[in-house]
Amino acid sequence: MSAPIPVVMFGGGGHGRVLLDAVRLQGGYDIKAIVDAQPALRGEQLDGVPIVGGDEELPRLLREGTRHAVVAIGSVSNNSQRAELFARIKAMGFTFVNVVHPSAVVSPSARLGEGTVVLAGAIVGPGTVVGANVIINSRASVDHDCSIGDHVHIAPGAVLSGSVSVSDMAFIGAGATIKQGTRIGRSALVALGAAVIRDVPDGAAVAGVPAKAFDKKKGSGLA
Ligand code: JB2
């Protein structure tokens, strides 16, 4: 059996704990170190993995043979930070790994982009194409022939029916349901529990059953 591939994880918070579990259960990778932007976390551990510091540690990790990475920042409701971090880490020369929890079901005809993670109990249906740096969170279900852009976060328990398209950096809240064939625009926000029955334009935010637009700055109480 070959040795597990060493990986650095970016972010040592709540999403990091969930990812760490999934990586350990998946096998094949060893999260050697965590890099976190909060200086106060340096020297701490997350479930046994050392938080070694911030970005200044990356050249050393690369030199010592850690060339693989995974982004562990949930950034609930705003994915632009995750997109920027992904680009920055890639430019440094790291390769992103895919994490698929062993209890997830990913169709053999689905495709997952670089650095995309599929967490416990999630489903990715046949013919679905998922972009890079996407989070398909615990128990989310993405049915057949969907198209999911880059840096999208589909939160726990969301349900996407067949042929739904979700554009780059959109956020689908926990427990939201999206009608078959609907398009969710770039950087759009679907609040938790929403029932989306119409296309959502780029940058828009929707909440409720059926989902209606709301002003992101004022919030809906649901996102
Ligand atoms: O640019 C960064 C950066 N930005 C934030 N680089 C690095 N290396 N680390 C960064 N971080 C760190 O990610 C923060 O300092 C923080 O320690 C961590 C994010 O942790 P937090 O617990 O705040 O959020 P999270 O994204 O891990 O989890 C949220 O999203 C999940 C999807 C929580 O709301 C969870 O409950 C949720 N399941």
Side-chain angles (χ1 to χ4, degrees), residues 159 175-179 182 184 190-198 200 206-212:
V159 175
T177 303
I178 319 283
K179 187 182 173 186
T182 308
I184 309 295
V190 174
L192 66 86
V196 178
I197 57 171
R198 284 189 199 89
V200 177
V206 299
V209 182
K212 294 198 171 70

Side-chain angles (χ1 to χ4, degrees), residues 83-96:
E84 282 157 24
L85 182 60
F86 186 84
R88 190 153 53 83
I89 301 166
K90 203 167 169 57
M92 283 181 213
F94 286 94
T95 300
F96 292 91

Side-chain angles (χ1 to χ4, degrees), residues 9-18 34-39 41 51 53-55 58 72-77 81-82 84-85 88-89 119 135 137-138 153 155-156 171:
M9 189 165 87
F10 288 77
H15 188 55
R17 287 197 84 188
V18 173
I34 295 169
V35 169
D36 196 290
Q38 275 188 65
L41 290 180
I51 302 176
D55 281 8
L58 296 172
I73 295 166
S75 298
V76 172
S77 80
Q81 189 198 356
R82 292 180 51 250
E84 282 157 24
L85 182 60
R88 190 153 53 83
I89 301 166
L119 298 176
I135 303 170
N137 219 321
S138 312
H153 182 171
F171 175 80

Side-chain angles (χ1 to χ4, degrees), residues 50-174:
I51 302 176
V52 295
D55 281 8
E56 71 285 353
E57 294 294 326
L58 296 172
R60 177 183 64 79
L61 287 167
L62 273 170
R63 263 197 323 276
E64 291 174 0
T66 300
R67 299 192 179 87
H68 291 79
V70 66
V71 176
I73 295 166
S75 298
V76 172
S77 80
N78 175 7
N79 285 311
S80 60
Q81 189 198 356
R82 292 180 51 250
E84 282 157 24
L85 182 60
F86 186 84
R88 190 153 53 83
I89 301 166
K90 203 167 169 57
M92 283 181 213
F94 286 94
T95 300
F96 292 91
V97 301
N98 287 118
V99 179
V100 178
H101 192 286
S103 69
V105 179
V106 178
S107 164
S109 65
R111 279 192 279 136
L112 302 181
E114 186 177 0
T116 282
V117 301
V118 184
L119 298 176
I123 297 172
V124 182
T128 284
V129 178
V130 183
N133 195 29
V134 171
I135 303 170
I136 302 185
N137 219 321
S138 312
R139 221 172 45 76
S141 174
V142 181
D143 219 294
H144 68 91
D145 300 305
C146 290
S147 160
I148 311 294
D150 297 334
H151 318 294
V152 168
H153 182 171
I154 301 174
V159 175
L160 278 59
S161 306
S163 304
V164 164
S165 120
V166 181
S167 306
D168 294 350
M169 288 182 288
F171 175 80
I172 313 293

